[in-house]
Amino acid sequence: MALRRLTGKTKERGRKARGGAVARDRGRRAELVIITGMSGSGKASVLKAFEDLGYYCVDNLPVGLIPQFAELAGQSSEIERTALVVDVREGAQLDDLPKIVKSVRRILPTKMIFLEAADSVLLRRFSETRRPHPLGTKTSVKASLAAEREHLRPIRAMADLVIDTSKFNVHELRSHITEGFQKQEAGNNILVSCVSFGFRHGLPEDADLVFDVRFLPNPHFVPEFRPLTGRDPKVAKYIRSFPQTKEFINRISKLLVYLLPHYIREGKSYLTISFGCTGGQHRSVMIAEDVSKHLGKAGYRVKVVHRDSPG
């Protein structure tokens, strides 16, 4: 107000015009990330990851205030990247979120992240933290999760990125978000898990792709290799000594390098590739290790998990 008293009408109109142009320019650079999803899926951890990246973060902002928040963020000279959490704690107002997000996307670039997890995982998390479900204590946590999942279905359908956090611990989830949004321009913001397993112990429940490597000669029948695993250099050398092993690794690695960009374009943020042998100790372990190295060299973030391997 003091500035307005000190300047003339002409200068004031000029400043308003310039300010509007600057605000519109900042609006193009600004970014809003809306984090939502199931209770217990890790929204607080994800918000913390965005805060560590320098985003201005707000937890549980009332849905009705999102348009004003987006407008202020778009006009701010100090805040360019913002993130907020909206979830079932909002109650009936959450039904307005899809309509509000559509309007906000006309103000500044907006991305919605939806977090979810398997019911069994969410039940375990609620049990470990001993916290009640936000929908109340009149029903069981299992019933509340079912009601919440149904309530959030329309919101999930319009999300830009859906992340199943069942596969992540807290540190992996935050790392996944951090690396993904730090390196968005690189395009390889997908986490690939190479998992070895034994068919005798059952298929991995979270596998996206499964490859059976039981066609390779089995080191189990070599007495000196029986107590070892596919990570042992002698066992790995033995498995690699067969021409079909080298050809399989090359063919599968090339196939995956071809497929991964297509998965990324479809919005996939992680992919679990499982390799199975009889017991999950020798062949599958060695193959998972070698394929992960090929994918790492191709520029992808990879972690290796040996589900059934001892040690």
Side-chain angles (χ1 to χ4, degrees), residues 123-144:
L123 286 169
R124 188 189 73 240
R125 290 174 183 173
F126 273 102
S127 176
E128 290 173 349
T129 60
R130 299 182 180 180
R131 297 182 63 186
H133 191 279
L135 292 182
T137 57
K138 293 182 179 180
T139 58
S140 66
V141 173
K142 185 175 183 180
S144 295

Side-chain angles (χ1 to χ4, degrees), residues 245-308:
T245 302
K246 182 178 180 179
E247 184 172 357
F248 175 79
I249 292 172
N250 287 338
R251 285 176 179 262
I252 290 299
S253 299
K254 288 179 181 178
L255 173 64
L256 294 173
V257 169
Y258 164 76
L259 289 174
L260 283 169
H262 296 284
Y263 282 118
I264 292 171
R265 279 195 291 271
E266 289 300 312
K268 200 137 180 89
S269 58
Y270 55 84
L271 190 74
T272 299
I273 307 165
S274 298
F275 300 93
C277 61
T278 304
Q281 180 176 337
H282 297 110
R283 293 166 291 181
S284 61
V285 170
M286 176 266 168
I287 295 295
E289 291 282 347
D290 273 26
V291 171
S292 70
K293 292 174 184 177
H294 280 265
L295 296 180
K297 290 178 181 177
Y300 293 97
R301 294 184 297 124
V302 187
K303 70 173 184 178
V304 183
V305 178
H306 300 302
R307 192 193 72 175
D308 301 321

Side-chain angles (χ1 to χ4, degrees), residues 52-96:
D52 292 343
L53 285 171
Y55 284 68
Y56 182 89
C57 296
V58 180
D59 186 18
N60 201 25
L61 181 74
V63 169
L65 295 180
I66 294 178
Q68 293 94 314
F69 179 82
E71 188 173 353
L72 289 171
Q75 294 174 352
S76 173
S77 61
E78 298 177 354
I79 301 173
E80 289 190 1
R81 301 196 297 173
T82 58
L84 57 89
V85 168
V86 179
D87 56 31
V88 75
R89 292 173 292 176
E90 189 69 11
Q93 299 300 316
L94 192 63
D95 295 338
D96 296 332

Side-chain angles (χ1 to χ4, degrees), residues 85-128:
V85 168
V86 179
D87 56 31
V88 75
R89 292 173 292 176
E90 189 69 11
Q93 299 300 316
L94 192 63
D95 295 338
D96 296 332
L97 184 60
K99 178 178 63 178
I100 288 174
V101 170
K102 289 180 182 178
S103 68
V104 167
R105 282 174 171 158
R106 293 193 288 267
I107 300 174
L108 79 169
T110 301
K111 177 173 287 189
M112 182 186 290
I113 300 176
F114 188 95
L115 305 179
E116 62 183 7
D119 282 351
S120 59
V121 174
L122 294 175
L123 286 169
R124 188 189 73 240
R125 290 174 183 173
F126 273 102
S127 176
E128 290 173 349

Side-chain angles (χ1 to χ4, degrees), residues 14 27 33 43 56 73 91-92 109 112 116 167 175-176 182 185 198 226 260:
V33 177
K43 297 186 294 294
Y56 182 89
M112 182 186 290
E116 62 183 7
K167 307 174 183 181
S175 176
H176 178 60
Q182 270 183 338
E185 68 280 0
R226 188 169 298 176
L260 283 169

